[in-house]
Amino acid sequence: VRSSPLMRLVAVAYVLFAVLLFSVSFPFLRAMGDAFDSEADLATALGLLSAAVTGASFLLSVGVANRLYARIGIVGAALLLPAVYLAGFGLWLLAFSLTTAIMVRFAQQVMQRGISNAAWSALYTVVPGGQRPQVLAFMDGVPGQLGISLSGVLLLVGGALLAPEQVFVIGAVAAAVCLWVVLRIRARYGHALVATLRAGLAEQVLEGGPGLEALGHEPHVVSGLRATLSATDAGS
């Protein structure tokens, strides 16, 4: 990850997304708790919202996602989630209520599950197959956990010291920075994709397979190439 400009930016984005998730979840859950006196009513409302998010995410992923990826590209689709965060915090700074809290939470969850998660997973196709599991484990274990820890600190501080408007400002700043990082990722992804194709790993990117890299580990292929190099007949 350290040696890849693309993956370094992805690691930064992982940290920022954890902060953004906190900045939406904390005000949303506080608004829901204030609106419902009964724990049963609160659980019912959250369950209905979760069901609506699941259904909308399924329809979005089945009917829209592939067309969207083809039209604006993988990283173009990845830009949508930080844009939704930024628009949501802008709305909350203008008018925060139970209605706007539900609207922003719904939009964020649907965009993340229906469009963004698959787009971010596709970025790892440019990582060599032999290193991809290590890269994925590192992203979840280091930047992801760092972002969660930072969110925990913000939760303690936000619950005791910060007004809701201050949390919205933190979220808006984090969303703007994340949007800039993803724009940088968009440029880096193009270079990484071209380098991967030039390295003979088109199958890895286009079909999810190992590409030509796997042939170097096949003893029959290696021995056959060596025999061909020393052959006297040019046609062989």
Side-chain angles (χ1 to χ4, degrees):
V1 171
R2 186 174 62 248
S3 64
S4 169
L6 173 64
M7 289 297 113
R8 288 202 302 267
L9 290 170
V10 171
V12 173
Y14 266 55
V15 177
L16 291 171
F17 276 125
V19 174
L20 289 169
L21 183 61
F22 152 78
S23 300
V24 167
S25 299
F26 180 61
F28 165 74
L29 292 174
R30 175 176 281 181
M32 293 291 286
D34 293 340
F36 297 94
D37 296 328
S38 168
E39 291 185 2
D41 291 339
L42 176 60
T44 300
L46 291 174
L48 290 173
L49 179 60
S50 179
V53 166
T54 300
S57 301
F58 173 76
L59 294 176
L60 190 65
S61 62
V62 170
V64 178
N66 285 336
R67 294 182 177 89
L68 189 65
Y69 298 150
R71 179 64 62 86
I72 65 176
I74 293 297
V75 189
L79 279 167
L80 295 178
L81 184 58
V84 167
Y85 275 119
L86 187 59
F89 290 122
L91 176 61
W92 281 358
L93 285 169
L94 293 175
F96 181 73
S97 64
L98 178 63
T99 301
T100 58
I102 292 175
M103 289 172 55
V104 172
R105 178 67 168 181
F106 179 82
Q108 174 259 323
Q109 288 281 291
V110 171
M111 183 59 65
Q112 179 175 334
R113 298 183 187 181
I115 299 293
S116 183
N117 284 348
W120 282 91
S121 297
L123 293 177
Y124 293 98
T125 57
V126 299
V127 178
Q131 295 176 303
R132 198 176 305 156
Q134 292 174 308
V135 171
L136 288 168
F138 175 83
M139 290 297 185
D140 289 334
V142 181
Q145 296 303 315
L146 178 61
I148 292 173
S149 300
L150 184 57
S151 298
V153 173
L154 291 174
L155 178 63
L156 295 174
V157 175
L161 301 176
L162 298 180
E165 292 78 11
Q166 292 174 307
V167 176
F168 303 158
V169 171
I170 291 174
V173 172
V177 174
C178 188
L179 192 62
W180 176 78
V181 169
V182 179
L183 285 171
R184 295 283 306 278
I185 289 174
R186 186 177 186 179
R188 291 290 185 182
Y189 178 71
H191 294 300
L193 185 60
V194 170
T196 301
L197 296 176
R198 286 178 174 173
L201 302 178
E203 183 185 353
Q204 170 184 302
V205 177
L206 301 177
E207 312 232 349
L212 294 178
E213 179 188 32
L215 296 179
H217 303 291
E218 294 291 336
H220 298 296
V221 172
V222 174
S223 61
L225 289 174
R226 287 175 177 169
T228 303
L229 288 173
S230 60
T232 56
D233 183 4
S236 63

